[in-house]
Structures are given as C-alpha cells and as structure tokens.
C-alpha cells in the first residue's frame, strides 16, 4: 500500500488494514476508508483525522489506530454509514497482541498486563 500510494519516506510506511472488502489506510494523519468491491475501482467511503498512526486494526465497525504518542484512536462506523472518531484509549500498543476476554481486552507487557474495557 505504501509503495502504491507513494506514502513512504521520512514518516515511514503507511499503517493499513483490509477487512470485508474495505481498505483502511492512513495518510498524513487521516484515516481513509476505501470500498474495494466497486466495479470501477476503489471508492472513497470516509476520511477521519486521527493523527500520525503506526498500527491499525479493524474489528467489525470499529477501527483502532495506534498513534505515535502512545494513544489509540477509536473510529466507528455509525448505523447511517458515516464514520467518526468516537474516543481513544491510553493503553500503549493497544493494537498489537491483544487478547479479548469477555468484555475486556488484555495486552501483555514484560512484567505487567494492561486491561481495558472494549469500546
């Protein structure tokens, strides 16, 4: 994705994820959602400012974006198809290596566990 969009360089590779026919990628602090199932090529669905992002994970209608300041932005698709920033977690590295346990998500770190409720 980085090479195709030309977003490589001083800021590193673009954070991207693919889920259910949609491509999610961040460019210059904005999360872009593209529908890849359209007959005439990718169709832009939404653009939501989230800041500079290192990692991205999609879970259903939620997108978790690890920012460079160790905060995780949470972006959600509403029932009407609009996308918006709905909050954030201050759990460092939320996206990497999380394990869902009931209504919580657990992230292991050397010597400790971070536990947070899911949004």
């Amino acid at each position: 994705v980085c090479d195709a969009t030309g977003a490589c360089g001083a800021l590193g590779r673009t954070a991207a994820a693919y889920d259910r026919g949609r491509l999610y990628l961040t460019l210059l602090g904005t999360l872009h959602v593209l529908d890849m199932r359209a007959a005439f090529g990718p169709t832009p669905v939404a653009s939501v400012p989230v800041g500079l992002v290192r990692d991205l994970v999609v879970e259903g209608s939620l997108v978790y974006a690890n920012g460079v300041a160790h905060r995780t932005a949470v972006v959600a698709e509403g029932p009407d198809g609009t996308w918006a920033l709905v909050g954030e977690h201050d759990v460092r590295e939320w996206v990497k290596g999380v394990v869902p346990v009931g209504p919580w998500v657990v992230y292991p770190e050397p010597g400790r566990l971070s536990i947070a409720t899911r949004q």
Side-chain angles (χ1 to χ4, degrees):
V1 171
C2 174
D3 297 330
T5 60
C8 300
L11 297 176
R13 295 204 171 269
T14 298
Y18 184 80
D19 183 62
R20 295 179 290 158
R22 287 184 174 165
L23 177 64
Y24 303 82
L25 62 106
T26 58
L27 294 171
L28 302 175
T30 301
L31 170 70
H32 298 280
V33 182
L34 303 171
D35 187 347
M36 304 301 285
R37 299 167 291 189
F40 299 105
T43 303
V45 174
S47 295
V48 180
V50 292
L52 295 178
V53 173
R54 294 175 295 132
D55 303 300
L56 202 63
V57 166
V58 180
E59 290 185 1
S61 64
L62 297 174
V63 178
Y64 297 93
N66 275 350
V68 295
H70 303 297
R71 298 199 61 89
T72 299
V74 182
V75 179
E77 180 180 19
D80 60 353
T82 60
W83 289 79
L85 184 64
V86 294
E88 64 180 22
H89 288 291
D90 59 359
V91 178
R92 185 178 176 178
E93 302 289 342
W94 180 266
V95 169
K96 289 187 176 178
V98 297
V99 177
V101 180
W104 304 283
V105 174
V106 179
Y107 173 75
E109 292 184 73
R112 65 182 271 202
L113 291 173
S114 297
I115 301 174
T117 56
R118 297 176 69 84
Q119 292 244 350

